[in-house]
Amino acid sequence: MGTGGCGGITMLECVTVDYQADIPPYQQVAAIIVARIQSGELQPGDAVPSVARMMQEFGIARTTAGKVLAFLREQGWITVVRGWGSFVSRDLPPVT
């Protein structure tokens, strides 16, 4: 994950996906969102970035953004409320 030209915003807000990395793009973006949760930037109950927001913020495809949400849900970091969106879980998984 690179940082490009951040223009004064925080490191967690200014990250690009490294398509040459061994880690798949969806896992890179998921790691960024988890870092935002662990730092307190995103609190339990807060909305996580939507598919459209992730596409814009990270320059990823719609299918990749969907994989990010599915991965975070499977790991217990988010809950998905159909028709409302995805939110940081109130019962977060243990940090490993």
Side-chain angles (χ1 to χ4, degrees):
M1 295 175 284
T3 56
C6 293
I9 61 176
T10 69
M11 187 62 80
L12 290 178
E13 292 173 338
C14 183
V15 181
T16 57
V17 173
D18 180 358
Y19 288 96
Q20 305 305 313
D22 292 334
I23 301 169
Y26 79 93
Q27 287 184 354
Q28 292 178 48
V29 175
I32 294 163
I33 294 172
V34 168
R36 290 177 181 176
I37 294 168
Q38 291 177 328
S39 74
E41 181 180 338
L42 289 172
Q43 296 287 317
D46 285 353
V48 296
S50 65
V51 168
R53 172 67 191 220
M54 283 191 271
M55 291 171 61
Q56 177 185 29
E57 184 175 348
F58 301 109
I60 59 176
R62 181 175 300 279
T63 54
T64 302
K67 284 183 179 181
V68 171
L69 294 176
F71 181 77
L72 291 171
R73 187 182 71 243
E74 290 167 8
Q75 299 297 312
W77 290 102
I78 67 169
T79 56
V80 177
V81 180
R82 179 160 258 169
W84 286 91
S86 301
F87 302 88
V88 177
S89 294
R90 297 208 181 271
D91 297 315
L92 296 172
V95 177
T96 56

